[in-house]
């Protein structure tokens, strides 16, 4: 449906992709978002994308097109805790 929000979600898989495959994934998302239907991306960030210099948690990113991606939360690797970041 043209008004349904499609959400692409992953918590660990992109960290295993070679850079060129990851770039292809991101390009595919951009292309999919270009048709005007609502699209969102929820993903743990790869190490080179992180804002924090800390390895004891994941950074969870949120993007809803056409807005840019933003850091949404810091999360435990196995889901024991999540610290949401205020978007305001």
């Amino acid at each position: 449906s043209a008004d349904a929000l499609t959400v692409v979600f992953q918590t660990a898989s992109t960290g295993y992709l070679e850079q060129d495959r990851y770039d292809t994934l991101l390009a595919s998302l951009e292309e999919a978002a270009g048709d005007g239907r609502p699209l969102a991306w929820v993903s743990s960030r790869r190490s080179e994308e992180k804002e924090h210099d800390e390895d004891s948690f994941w950074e969870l990113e949120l993007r809803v097109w056409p807005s840019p991606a933003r850091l949404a939360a810091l999360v435990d690797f196995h889901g024991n805790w999540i610290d949401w970041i205020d978007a305001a």
Side-chain angles (χ1 to χ4, degrees), residues 25-38:
L25 169 63
L26 296 179
S28 296
L29 289 168
E30 289 293 338
E31 182 179 340
D35 72 6
R37 291 181 291 175

Side-chain angles (χ1 to χ4, degrees), residues 43-56:
S43 173
S44 57
R45 288 183 169 169
R46 293 165 54 101
S47 59
E48 67 271 12
E49 298 172 321
K50 290 172 53 176
E51 293 180 22
H52 294 85
D53 189 26
E54 176 68 43
D55 291 326
S56 61

Side-chain angles (χ1 to χ4, degrees), residues 30-83:
E30 289 293 338
E31 182 179 340
D35 72 6
R37 291 181 291 175
L39 180 64
W41 166 250
V42 180
S43 173
S44 57
R45 288 183 169 169
R46 293 165 54 101
S47 59
E48 67 271 12
E49 298 172 321
K50 290 172 53 176
E51 293 180 22
H52 294 85
D53 189 26
E54 176 68 43
D55 291 326
S56 61
F57 54 81
W58 277 337
E59 293 183 1
L60 190 69
E61 172 177 285
L62 170 64
R63 181 169 186 193
V64 180
W65 274 263
S67 297
R70 70 172 185 84
L71 180 61
L74 306 178
V75 299
D76 176 68
F77 298 124
H78 299 286
N80 292 315
W81 55 265
I82 185 165
D83 289 335

